[in-house]
Amino acid sequence: MEPLFWLNLFVMAGVTYLIRMVPLAAFKHKLENERIQSFLYYIPFTVLGAMTFPEILFSTGNIWSAVVGLLVAALLAYFEKGLVTVALSACGGVLLTECVLRYFA
């Protein structure tokens, strides 16, 4: 293998390790500040939403079917339905919209 491969591998491993190690070394005691605790609590949800939302809108061949699937999923999630119910219903909404759009187009 090329030496550049090993250099890249070790740099990536070091950066990954530092990202995980620095917070553990910097915060040896429990955080007492409620604002920081609240901020850190919502970070995973924010990152997941930011990564998922654009993909939802561009996951189908048509923006309208994607919007229908998003609305179906959001409505069912608002009424606290289960994950499988929400996912299958959103897929069904997309499929139905795609069929209707193909029929009338």
Side-chain angles (χ1 to χ4, degrees), residues 5-104:
F5 169 79
W6 292 107
L7 177 65
N8 288 336
L9 182 69
F10 288 128
V11 168
M12 286 189 298
V15 168
T16 303
Y17 178 73
L18 285 175
I19 290 172
R20 295 168 193 259
M21 187 266 312
V22 168
L24 289 174
F27 302 110
K28 293 189 185 280
H29 61 285
K30 185 176 179 185
L31 295 174
E32 301 294 331
N33 190 336
E34 289 184 26
R35 279 194 154 174
I36 294 175
Q37 282 181 341
S38 176
F39 174 75
L40 292 175
Y41 176 79
Y42 287 109
I43 287 293
F45 302 110
T46 306
V47 170
L48 186 61
M51 289 175 17
T52 306
F53 184 75
E55 188 59 33
I56 290 171
L57 294 178
F58 300 109
S59 62
T60 65
N62 191 330
I63 188 75
W64 297 111
S65 62
V67 169
V68 168
L70 175 65
L71 292 176
V72 168
L75 185 69
L76 291 175
Y78 178 76
F79 288 112
E80 298 180 357
K81 300 298 179 190
L83 179 63
V84 175
T85 305
V86 172
L88 290 177
S89 299
C91 291
V94 168
L95 181 65
L96 184 64
T97 306
E98 288 283 337
C99 289
V100 168
L101 289 174
R102 281 205 182 134
Y103 181 75
F104 289 113

